[in-house]
Amino acid sequence: MTSSDLTWDLFRSFLAVLREGSLSGAARALGMTQPSLGRHVRELEASLGVPLFSRASHGLVPTDAALELQPHAEAMASAAASALRAASGAKDELRGVVRITASEVNGVEVLPPILAAMHRRSPGIVFELSTTNRTENLLRRDADIAVRSSPPDQDALVARKVCVIPIGLYAHADYLAAAGRPKTLADLTRHTLIGYDEETPYIRATRPAGMPYQREFFSLRTDNDLAGLAAIRAGFGIGACQVPLGRRAGLVRLLPKSVDIALPIWVVMHEDQRTSLRIRTVFDHLVEGLAAYGGSRTSPKLLTSGA
């Protein structure tokens, strides 16, 4: 087999085995037979001249060669997905697929009502929503549009800062009825706190001075923002929450004068996407919806990174 025989099908099967950890799981994920998928992996190994997986009691373990190949295969997967989205509708039609990436909280709690309104207006657009706190690569076309908390630093990306969402401390009324309400930041050490498991530079930079919101004081530690929000809603204790979400959930805001953290929100896309009517329309709708959600009273400013 020559390099010209290395088709996307082989790499797609390789990625499926990497993600599922077995031939049977990968075959189910792709809707293929296990023998066909196994043949793809063997053909790829033969062409590359290296083994990609070794057998273990719990399934297939990727070799070092497989791990080196993984980012290249994932780039191919992103390119293939982007090509399918581009082919799903003409550039001058409000029809086709638009892939959006956003953080877990924004993707689950904030964007669905905005997308629902957009769908009613333009039912021909199909949304793919990737909820992850990992920054996906728009240059590699992992997504068409990103909702981020920081501006991009690549010149080929277009961004709008649409609003600044305040973050405050919240608790459920049932928790406060049982535990009382803190009157000062120092009182927080006598309460049940919900917080992070691993402290990030962002947390260190935004934590108000004198606020005892640190790992050793937490009764529940999680780096999953949705789990933390669910714990606040369940009445577990006090935790950080976007102010619009806390208001929507009927939670009680605590110490607003002492804890008012600014979370900027940017909507980002590749500059080439400006020529696609459906992507540009979704971009503008996200800007409008997020500005309303965050209570922005000024027109969002369009800029390119580096500008």
Side-chain angles (χ1 to χ4, degrees):
M1 182 181 291
T2 65
S3 59
S4 61
D5 298 317
L6 291 175
T7 65
W8 161 235
D9 285 342
L10 302 187
F11 288 97
R12 184 180 64 162
S13 296
F14 161 72
L15 275 178
V17 176
L18 266 180
R19 292 165 178 166
E20 301 296 329
S22 67
L23 291 176
S24 58
R28 286 193 300 271
L30 295 181
M32 296 174 59
T33 65
Q34 187 171 331
S36 296
L37 192 139
R39 184 177 68 253
H40 281 181
V41 174
R42 291 192 298 273
E43 288 177 2
L44 186 58
E45 289 178 324
S47 179
L48 298 175
V50 292
L52 297 174
F53 298 97
S54 59
R55 293 192 176 276
S57 58
H58 58 280
L60 296 178
V61 178
T63 63
D64 289 343
L67 296 177
E68 290 180 5
L69 183 62
Q70 182 176 1
H72 303 288
E74 288 176 341
M76 293 176 67
S78 295
S82 179
L84 288 174
R85 294 197 301 271
S88 67
K91 285 189 173 184
D92 58 352
E93 292 181 344
L94 286 177
R95 180 175 300 277
V97 179
V98 178
R99 185 173 181 84
I100 303 167
T101 179
S103 69
E104 293 169 349
V105 167
N106 287 333
V108 173
E109 297 285 345
V110 180
L111 293 188
I114 297 173
L115 297 183
M118 177 67 181
H119 178 68
R120 290 190 291 271
R121 188 184 302 176
S122 303
I125 296 178
V126 175
F127 299 103
E128 293 180 353
L129 181 56
S130 172
T131 57
T132 175
N133 288 345
R134 177 173 52 87
T135 300
E136 294 194 319
N137 193 328
L138 295 186
L139 294 180
R140 201 176 61 189
R141 304 304 170 91
D142 289 348
D144 299 310
I145 301 173
V147 177
R148 295 177 176 173
S149 59
S150 61
D153 55 11
Q154 297 99 338
D155 291 337
L157 300 183
V158 176
R160 281 190 186 178
K161 184 179 181 181
V162 297
C163 63
V164 176
I165 299 174
I167 295 177
L169 288 182
Y170 279 86
H172 193 281
D174 290 346
Y175 168 81
L176 296 175
R181 187 168 182 156
K183 296 180 180 179
T184 67
L185 288 176
D187 290 345
L188 291 174
T189 58
R190 296 190 290 273
H191 279 266
T192 299
L193 299 183
I194 302 161
Y196 55 83
D197 186 30
E198 180 179 351
E199 186 177 74
T200 64
Y202 174 79
I203 292 172
R204 288 194 295 271
T206 58
R207 182 171 48 218
M211 181 179 175
Y213 194 71
Q214 298 171 350
R215 193 177 187 277
E216 61 265 29
F217 297 121
F218 300 151
S219 297
L220 174 60
R221 300 167 182 161
T222 178
D223 291 328
N224 185 303
D225 295 333
L226 290 172
L229 179 58
I232 301 172
R233 286 171 169 162
F236 187 96
I238 299 172
C241 173
Q242 293 184 16
V243 169
L245 284 183
R247 188 183 303 122
R248 180 190 299 172
L251 300 172
V252 180
R253 188 173 184 184
L254 305 170
L255 305 171
K257 293 182 179 180
S258 301
V259 182
D260 190 22
I261 300 168
L263 177 69
I265 296 296
W266 298 75
V267 180
V268 188
M269 70 177 177
H270 196 285
E271 62 182 1
D272 291 348
Q273 303 287 28
R274 287 174 165 178
T275 61
S276 169
L277 177 62
R278 72 176 184 278
I279 294 177
R280 191 174 70 249
T281 299
V282 173
F283 182 95
D284 291 341
H285 184 80
L286 286 173
V287 168
E288 177 186 341
L290 286 166
Y293 167 81
S296 174
R297 297 182 180 178
T298 59
S299 299
K301 181 181 179 182
L302 174 67
L303 55 83
T304 57
S305 64

